[in-house]
Every structure is written in structure tokens, then in C-alpha cells.
Amino acid sequence: MTSAHLGDGPPAVERHSGSYDPQTGPHDPHGDPFLRTRFAVPTRPDTFLRRERLARHLDGAARTPLTMVNGSAGAGKTLLVADWVAGHPEQPVAWLTTDTDGQGAGMFWAYLLQALRTCGVPLPDDIASPADANRVGDALPARLAAHLGGRDRPVVLVLDEFDRVTAPEIAAQLDFLLRHSAPGLRLVLVTRTEPLLPLHRYRAAGELTEIRDAELAFTPDEAARLMEAHGLRLSPAAVRGVVERTRGWAAGLRLCALAAEEAPDPELCLKEFEADRSAVADFLLAEVLKRQDDGTQELLLRVSVLDRFGPRLANAVTGRADAEAVLARLHRGNAFVQHVGHGVYRLHPLFAEILRAHLRMRRPGLEPELHRRAAACLRTAGALPAALEHGAAADDWEFTATALADDLALGQFFTGPRADILDALFSRMGPRGGDGPAPELVRAAARLSRGDLAGGAARLRRARQRLRDSGGPADMTDTAAARMGCALLDALVARLSGAPGRAEDAVREAETLRALLPAGLLDRHPEFFALLLDHLGSARLWAGDFAGARAALTRAAATGPGTPATALPREDALARLALLDVLQGWPGRAERRARAALAETERSGIARPASSGVERLVLAAVAVERGDLLGQARALLDTAGESHPALRDPVLEAGRALVAARLYLARGEPGAAWKAVEPGVQADAVSPWARGETALVAAAADLADGRPQDAVTLLPEVPRDQPACAVGAARVLLAAGRPEAAVRLLDRAGVDEHAGPAVTVRATLVRAGAADRAGDRALARRLVAHAVAEAHREGLRRPLAEAGSWIRPYLAPAPRHRRPAPPRPTGSPLPPVEELSGRERDVMRRLALAMSTEEIAADLYVSVNTVKTHLKNAYRKLSVGRRSEAVRRARELGLL
């Protein structure tokens, strides 16, 4: 199949029989007959697709004297114009396919005049064809301009393949003709390159219509209709795939369609289409590559390994110094070299694919070296992602891993949009892909990012050993970035294994090495210290150093605000600050921080499995404290486990177990609570608060089962220097009948001075319970009133619910002087026999909104049966039997 079938030169037939000037006869300046096919409008193949948007664009060209259709080989330029001509049979059109390579101006003008005669435009006797093939005088363009300028109807002159016209004098004469023949001539140039005419003047005057490669490209809808013309009905995904691969290139689409026509599975054929073994390769090699000189061909072959490139990178890969001029020329010539802006170029994907195959055939073994050159150049230029891609393509893993480590970019395995890209890239490295410290560091980071603590720690030890083997203290500056990478991973290993001392050592090492790093390196990677501080804060939190943890996490949360690379450590740090608030008894503040962490996740686009999950754990804990959201707490707790593998540390695991246990205790399931914490959390160091909270859960289970003395035996495990734990221990002592010991413990712990409301409410209730046992009812009532008021401000229900039966008399209003009750106004509703509970009020509020039982259950995260139970109790208390009556009575009583 020849290129004539691909869009720019199909088989030709004459449009008009025409006539010849009697003075010159049917001969060119050489005395040879004119080639009649050069005056013929090309025919369109049966599968040609008329594209109305382009036809309308050409219709608009009637308003401008000059139209230029400029596109690459096979872009469909010629067929587009031929189709437009066929659609306007009333318009006189002179068609000339130029062919003046190595020929002069005389031959060009002789053929142009003959084209006019062939389409029926009469020329006067004073306009004679040139006798000299190489020259033409100024008189001919002037006379022709004067003649055409006097026509009633303009003639359209189409010069196809005008890129073959390279003589400046021809362009100048043509420009003269066009400017002085208006309005009798409209010129249409079909070309692969920018013509030599002064296009800027035509643009400025609004006298130029342009259609270029971008507009010539097929849209997915047009491509689908083209495939249908070939008998192919493809899925939208298959069409999008072939359009993306060909970039809408007309010839590429037609050749793909021809290949798919013969295939048993057209979609599979298009998906697996091998451009280098098809007619596409033959076309591009013949029409584009082989038209270039040997040096340009070599440049194209070598830059085919690059996705995007500027002159500097092209020079580095090719070993040349003139790539800038060559690339600009290729772009102007529509040689499938596209300028994407700012001095950056790219090859058409199909052309690049074919060139790479040709490179492997003509220069076997050269491709890896070209990738190495590109990687080195890009690394020097600071383009790390592209340098890593080329280093991996060269299979040079020592270079690639060193580039990542030296750039202090190991943290990108754990945060930011490049985490998955790095993991996929270095998964190709394999166990033998370099044995230096950098490859081992990268292997360690990759394993730790997947949650493989043992494998990551082993690789990290090997990297440390390789660094020690590589030199002494004199090499510290050269290896500072790699050692910083070791410190970061050491801190992560310490965090995941629950070794706070090791985390402190890692941060001290990083701070020492900081001064040895190149200026500005840390500024480019704010995620490094954000991660380091987050690891340190979590390790301190595990150790029970709440003040130190808060300091480190606060710094981590403030690092690189608005930077996507720091989004994950900022989110995790905020969530763990919220967890600290929960542990210290500040549920309201914890909820606000947890929601801020969720907002950070949503704003940065972090997917849920890639976030920390701690914020959901905190919200579950707050829901338990508020007592009426237990269904919501369960749902939040279930999603808290969907966290980044590198953040599933002992703090998260212990927190999940303890919140689950508290939820079971609130539901009256002490056995399930004990099972939730019984396995414990594996860690190198014991966490005092985790051990203490676990002991308190076990003690609460013993108390619920009627074994108070067994509960007391667990108290030595509870740290007394942490207010929340101290209050929990005091509650156990009170329940075991030792009120004096409970109060003494509270006094020693200084609970009232340092803790949040969830702790102080419980401490106040312990003191109230002790006063009740001592018979001091007035003090007990004052303390309970104070606790209730503080609990109300924070929305806390759980501390009151777990206080025990002794508190009930103090929750009733204080007795007043006995006076006869005033008569109730006629028609005033009687108060309910028994107050509605908080959850019953919640159900009634939703009932008033006309929500169904199922909708109420979904909104409150409870079962339908639970809602029905609450409704039944509310009806009984309100002395009603139906929904409408219940809502009306609740409104009368001011309950809604």
C-alpha cells in the first residue's frame, strides 16, 4: 500500500478536462508534456470520513485571502481540502500539487498558469508561460495579479505539498500575486512546514485562516465513526485507547483500522498493536525519518528514549552541541517532533515507538547507555523523578538508589503522590540490583512502607554496615544524606517496634548530620523532618512522655502547611495530638483536632488506606464518652484499622483495643471487653499508660462480675502519675469499699489541677461517692451537682452512667419547702411519669422530622429493634399510643 492511501496523496483524477494556451501548447519550459495528475483534485477513499467541524472552518476561509493547512505527514491535510473542494462544485478551483525540488521559479509558474487554465480560468495572451525553467521576470506575477484582480468571481488556488517549494524568490512572487490580485484570488496552501511567506503580516491584518496538527487530530467521536466506516464497532474504551496512542493522527488510525479488519478480535488487535512491525512503521520511516540527513536521523533515534526533552538533555544524550537548532527545524517541519512549551519537545508516541525499535536494530546495546546519560543529566538538573526513571531503564540500580538517597527523598516512600510510583519503580530492582548502602536503604524503605518491620529492619542493618565499610569519619560529609536516611528509617523502626529510646537516638543523629547537608536540600524535602518528628512524637506517646510527645507532634503538624508531600505526617500528628487529648480527658478538644485531621486528609486527597486512621479512633472514643452514640462509635472503630501500613504502630493497636474495650463495657459486655485487651500489644518497651488502661479494663470487668477484690489486685499495674489512670484506680478502690484510700490517691495525684473534664468529672464523682459512704449527704450532693454541670458542658454521659447506683438519689432535684402545689391550668398537659432518657429524646426528635424507623436506626447507628424499644418506652412515659400523639405531647411539654 502506498502513501497515496494514507491521507495526503490518494489516487488522482482530473476535475476538469481544461484547455491549453495556443501559444505554449501542452509543454513545460523543458519541452516536456505537463503532468496532468498534478492538476487533478485527489479522490477520497471509500472509508473517508467527512468532518464537519473542519469543513466549516474551511468555509470560513472564504473571508480571508490566504488559508494554510499545516500538518505532519499523514495528518489528512490533502483529503480534507479535496473534500471541501468537492463540496463546492460552483467554485472555480485550480489545484496544483507542487513538485519543485531542485527546479526553478520558471517551472513553478509554468505549472501554476497551466493549473489555472485546466480549471477553466482564461488567461490573456500577454501572460505567457516562462521559457526558462529557472527564472521568471517580475512582469508575469504583475500581469497575472492585474488579470485576477479584475474577476467578478474569485478563483481558489490550492497548492498542495507546498513544503516542497523552498526557493525564497518563488515565495516572494507568490506573496506579491496574492496581495495585488485581491479579491480575485484566494490561496490555499497545504504544507508540512511553515511556508516562507510573511505570515505575521497576514495574521496581523486578519487575512489568514490556519488549520494545524492539533485541529487535524481526530477526536474520539470522529475516530469511532472512522472505525465504523471500516466495519469495526469498538467500545468507547478501545476507541479512547487507540486515539491516545495515535494522538488522533489520521494515517495511524486508518492503518490501525486496516490491521484490525483482518483480526478475529479487533479490540485485542488494537490493544496489542505493534507499531514497529506494521505499515505505520513503513510509512513513518519512509515519509519522516529517511527524509532527514544522517546526523538528524541519528539524533531522532537517540532522543527516542526520552519522553520529554529540551536541547540540553538532547545534547547530553546524543553527544551533540546543536540540538536546539535541529529540534526547532524538525518541529517547524512537522517531523513528528512536537514543541510543548518552554523549550521542551516530545516525539509523537507512535514515531517514538518505531524509532526505539529501529535504534535497537541499528545500534544494539546502545539504549542502556543513552538512559544512563539522560539520568546523569537530569540528576544534575535537579529533575529527580525523571532521573530515577532513566536510571531504572538503564538497569543501573546503584545510581538510581544513590540518587534517591542523596536527594534525601526516601520519605517519599511514605507520603505524597509519588509513594506508589517509587514502590513500583524499585520493585524492579530485585535482590541483586546493587549491593551498596543506597540500594539497601531503598529496600529497607520499600519494605517498611508495606508494613514489613522485620524485613525492613534487616535491610536497614545491612545499609548501616555498608556505610561503615565505605569509609571513616572523613567520609561523613559525602555520606551525610545516606546517614540521614538511615536515621529516618531508624526512627520509623523504633516507632513500629515500640522502642522510644532508639527513636530519640535517631533524631539526635539526624540533628547532628543536618549541618553536613548541602544548602537548601532540606527545604526541598519538608516531608523528611515532618516524618521524623511524627515518628518521635508517637514513640514518646508510647513511652508515656505526654509533654514530649505533644511538643514533637505539634512541630510535625506545623511542618510544610499546604504541601502535599507533608500531608500524611501532618494528618497523623494532628490525629495523635487528638489521642493525647483523649488520654488526658479533653474530649471536646480531641474531637476538634480529629476533625481537623480528617479535613487535612480530604484537602490533600489522601485515600483512607493511606491515612493514619487515628482520628477515627479518637472520634470513636469521644462517642463512647458521650454515651448516646455507641453505634457510631462501633462504625468509627471499624474504619480506624484502615491505615497506612507504616503507621500501624503500638500506639494505634493499643488505642483500638482500649476503645473497643470501653465500648463493650458501655454496652454491658465485660467479657468482650476483657477479650479485646487480653492479647496485649507486642513492643520492645512497656507503655505505662497502655499497661495501666489495660489493667483498669480488666478491673472494670471484675467489678461488673462482682469480684471487687480481684479488681483491687490489678491496681499495682496502674501508673499513679497519670491523672486519668489515677482516677481509674480510685474508682476501683471506691467500688471495693475503700473510699478513704480512693480520696488519698486522688489527693496525691493532683487530679483536679492537671486533667481535662472527662477526668475531673470522674474524680469529682469518686469524691462524691466517698462522701456518700461517709454519710455526708450535703457534700455528696454539691459534688454531684458540680460533676453534672461540668459533664453537661462537655456532653459527657458515660462518667455518670458508670458511677453506680448510689448516684441516683442525687440526680433528683433538691427538696424544697413543702407547699401545696398550685392548681394546674385547665388543659395543661401532665408531665411524663418518668423523664425521657437522652437516647429516647434523640429518637423523638427524629420522629418529629417524619423519619421512618429504619431511617432513625441508620441515623443513630443502632438497630431497628433498638429504635422500636426506645419508642415503646417513650410512648409509655408520655402516656400515648401513636406516633402523632407522641410528637404532639412532646412538643406540648417542651421536649422538642
Side-chain angles (χ1 to χ4, degrees):
M1 181 176 295
T2 66
S3 62
H5 292 81
L6 300 181
D8 284 342
V13 297
E14 294 181 313
R15 187 167 181 268
H16 299 285
S17 58
S19 61
Y20 298 104
D21 183 80
Q23 180 179 347
T24 61
H27 297 286
D28 65 22
H30 288 308
D32 298 322
F34 284 110
L35 300 175
R36 297 167 64 191
T37 54
R38 290 179 57 189
F39 309 126
V41 179
T43 56
R44 293 151 292 159
D46 293 339
T47 55
F48 176 79
L49 177 71
R50 180 179 177 82
R51 296 189 279 170
E52 293 297 334
R53 61 182 178 90
L54 296 178
R56 288 194 300 272
H57 198 154
L58 282 175
D59 285 340
R63 294 188 294 271
T64 60
L66 178 60
T67 299
M68 181 178 65
V69 183
N70 187 343
S72 56
K77 308 179 295 297
T78 297
L79 288 181
L80 168 65
V81 178
D83 179 63
W84 176 74
V85 169
H88 296 78
E90 75 289 348
Q91 179 80 43
V93 177
W95 186 287
L96 174 61
T97 301
T98 60
D99 186 13
T100 57
D101 276 342
Q103 302 181 48
M107 185 67 75
F108 172 82
W109 284 99
Y111 265 92
L112 188 149
L113 294 175
Q114 190 63 30
L116 290 169
R117 294 187 186 99
T118 302
C119 81
V121 176
L123 298 178
D125 294 342
D126 64 341
I127 301 178
S129 291
D132 189 334
N134 297 315
R135 290 186 299 275
V136 67
D138 293 339
L140 189 153
R143 290 172 181 169
L144 182 59
H147 174 69
L148 294 176
R151 285 178 57 84
D152 294 333
R153 294 181 61 201
V155 61
V156 176
L157 174 61
V158 178
L159 297 180
D160 191 17
E161 299 187 26
F162 190 70
D163 45 279
R164 295 175 178 269
V165 177
T166 57
E169 65 270 22
I170 295 177
Q173 292 164 347
L174 195 60
D175 175 47
F176 176 89
L177 172 67
L178 185 59
R179 285 189 289 112
H180 293 284
S181 60
L185 174 67
R186 302 201 183 280
L187 180 61
V188 178
L189 301 181
V190 182
T191 177
R192 295 187 188 182
T193 63
E194 202 84 346
L196 297 176
L197 275 68
L199 298 179
H200 60 282
R201 291 211 305 260
Y202 290 96
R203 287 193 188 100
E207 296 177 340
L208 173 63
T209 298
E210 298 180 75
I211 297 178
R212 293 183 175 269
D213 255 329
E215 195 171 0
L216 289 168
F218 275 63
T219 66
D221 179 64
E222 291 168 346
R225 289 191 285 126
L226 177 64
M227 295 297 165
E228 288 177 5
H230 283 266
L232 301 171
R233 292 191 175 275
L234 306 177
S235 67
V239 172
R240 285 195 302 271
V242 74
V243 170
E244 182 177 348
R245 193 171 181 195
T246 61
R247 297 273 169 85
W249 178 43
L253 287 169
R254 288 194 176 95
L255 288 169
C256 288
L258 290 171
E261 280 180 344
E262 307 299 326
D265 186 342
E267 291 204 6
L268 181 63
C269 173
L270 291 173
K271 185 177 180 180
E272 298 179 350
F273 181 76
E274 297 184 42
D276 58 311
R277 299 181 183 179
S278 67
V280 175
D282 298 336
F283 180 85
L284 287 174
L285 292 175
E287 293 292 323
V288 182
L289 184 64
K290 291 179 181 177
R291 286 191 174 203
Q292 311 300 328
D293 60 70
D294 291 345
T296 303
Q297 288 188 36
E298 190 67 23
L299 179 141
L300 286 169
L301 289 172
R302 291 177 179 238
V303 299
S304 68
V305 303
L306 307 172
D307 291 328
R308 296 188 176 210
F309 49 90
R312 181 171 177 268
L313 181 56
N315 282 333
V317 170
T318 62
R320 302 170 64 117
D322 62 344
E324 183 169 11
V326 177
L327 292 173
R329 174 173 59 79
L330 290 168
H331 169 63
R332 288 195 304 271
N334 282 320
F336 287 80
V337 177
Q338 302 162 345
H339 184 251
V340 296
H342 305 288
V344 177
Y345 296 85
R346 69 182 176 194
L347 299 177
H348 187 284
L350 279 180
F351 191 37
E353 188 178 339
I354 291 162
L355 287 173
R356 285 192 294 271
H358 210 54
L359 172 68
R360 294 173 194 130
M361 181 183 67
R362 288 175 53 173
R363 301 282 188 273
L366 180 60
E367 192 173 359
E369 175 58 26
L370 298 177
H371 282 297
R372 285 190 193 92
R373 294 180 189 179
C377 178
L378 289 163
R379 183 183 179 189
T380 303
L384 180 66
L388 297 179
E389 288 288 346
H390 284 286
D395 206 29
D396 189 345
W397 296 107
E398 196 71 46
F399 167 90
T400 308
T402 301
L404 185 76
D406 284 354
D407 201 71
L408 216 66
L410 282 174
Q412 292 182 0
F413 268 102
F414 308 96
T415 181
R418 287 189 48 79
D420 291 340
I421 296 172
L422 285 179
D423 188 60
L425 182 113
F426 282 101
S427 66
R428 293 149 47 192
M429 180 165 60
R432 299 176 182 270
D435 58 358
E440 289 296 345
L441 257 181
V442 169
R443 292 186 184 100
R447 291 188 177 226
L448 290 170
S449 71
R450 302 184 203 112
D452 181 2
L453 176 58
R459 291 292 183 178
L460 181 56
R461 288 192 295 272
R462 292 186 196 177
R464 287 275 193 192
Q465 185 60 50
R466 300 283 196 278
L467 279 169
R468 285 192 291 269
D469 294 343
S470 64
D475 299 311
M476 283 287 288
T477 301
D478 293 339
T479 61
R483 294 175 189 275
M484 284 283 280
C486 287
L488 176 65
L489 299 186
D490 262 329
L492 176 55
V493 168
R495 169 189 187 157
L496 294 176
S497 58
R502 184 175 175 181
E504 299 283 355
D505 292 341
V507 174
R508 279 193 292 270
E509 180 184 15
E511 292 288 357
T512 302
L513 292 167
R514 195 172 192 160
L516 301 177
L517 295 174
L521 184 57
L522 274 172
D523 293 337
R524 294 203 307 270
H525 292 289
E527 77 276 1
F528 185 92
F529 264 93
L531 285 167
L532 194 66
L533 289 168
D534 187 43
H535 299 336
L536 177 64
S538 192
R540 286 176 174 174
L541 177 52
W542 179 249
D545 178 8
F546 288 178
R550 192 174 291 277
L553 292 170
T554 300
R555 287 178 62 195
T559 302
T563 305
T566 61
L568 180 59
R570 286 200 313 270
E571 176 255 348
D572 187 54
L574 281 171
R576 287 169 194 267
L577 284 169
L579 182 58
L580 267 172
D581 289 334
V582 165
L583 293 173
Q584 294 183 311
W586 298 93
R589 193 165 71 187
E591 181 183 30
R592 290 190 294 274
R593 285 192 199 272
R595 297 202 180 281
L598 282 173
E600 186 72 43
T601 301
E602 294 167 1
R603 183 167 51 251
S604 61
I606 301 174
R608 180 178 291 180
S611 63
S612 75
V614 177
E615 60 267 49
R616 292 176 176 80
L617 175 66
V618 168
L619 292 175
V622 172
V624 171
E625 284 291 84
R626 289 177 176 164
D628 60 344
L629 301 171
L630 300 186
Q632 182 179 348
R634 180 73 264 175
L636 288 164
L637 194 59
D638 290 341
T639 60
E642 300 174 9
S643 58
H644 192 293
L647 300 179
R648 294 170 191 163
D649 60 4
V651 170
L652 176 62
E653 298 305 321
R656 287 187 66 211
L658 290 169
V659 174
R662 297 294 182 191
L663 177 59
Y664 287 127
L665 288 172
R667 288 178 167 178
E669 303 175 45
W674 169 239
K675 288 181 180 178
V677 296
E678 184 182 16
V681 177
Q682 295 297 317
D684 290 355
V686 174
S687 171
W689 65 266
R691 179 182 62 186
E693 293 285 359
T694 300
L696 289 173
V697 167
D702 285 339
L703 290 174
D705 288 338
R707 300 192 301 273
Q709 297 310 314
D710 289 347
V712 171
T713 62
L714 296 170
L715 295 186
E717 297 290 321
V718 180
R720 307 305 170 87
D721 58 343
Q722 293 184 4
C725 290
V727 169
R731 288 183 56 250
V732 172
L733 290 171
L734 178 66
R738 298 171 58 183
E740 297 85 357
V743 172
R744 285 197 302 271
L745 177 56
L746 293 179
D747 291 340
R748 287 196 302 270
V751 170
D752 297 336
E753 300 173 9
H754 305 293
V759 176
T760 56
V761 165
R762 286 182 168 89
T764 302
L765 291 175
V766 170
R767 293 183 185 278
D772 175 75
R773 295 207 176 198
D776 191 344
R777 303 284 187 274
L779 176 60
R781 183 174 296 280
R782 286 198 303 274
L783 290 171
V784 169
H786 177 72
V788 168
E790 191 172 1
H792 179 72
R793 281 195 296 273
E794 284 286 330
L796 301 176
R797 296 175 182 270
R798 183 63 190 157
L800 300 173
E802 66 187 12
S805 58
W806 66 267
I807 198 174
R808 290 175 185 166
Y810 298 103
L811 295 178
R816 300 188 177 188
H817 298 293
R818 294 188 177 182
R819 292 180 182 177
R824 184 172 299 278
T826 305
S828 177
L830 293 172
V833 176
E834 186 179 345
E835 288 290 332
L836 269 63
S837 70
R839 180 44 62 92
E840 289 162 358
R841 289 185 182 226
D842 289 338
V843 171
M844 288 301 304
R845 291 188 193 103
R846 287 159 177 78
L847 200 68
L849 297 174
M851 294 175 67
S852 68
T853 305
E854 290 75 11
E855 289 172 334
I856 295 173
D859 197 47
L860 294 176
Y861 295 93
V862 296
S863 69
V864 172
N865 286 336
T866 300
V867 172
K868 290 179 178 178
T869 300
H870 288 312
L871 285 173
K872 181 179 178 181
N873 291 337
Y875 291 174
R876 175 179 56 80
K877 293 176 181 180
L878 294 170
S879 302
V880 298
R882 292 185 300 178
R883 282 180 170 232
S884 57
E885 294 174 351
V887 171
R888 183 176 65 253
R889 182 160 172 75
R891 283 180 175 145
E892 291 171 351
L893 293 171
L895 301 178
L896 297 179

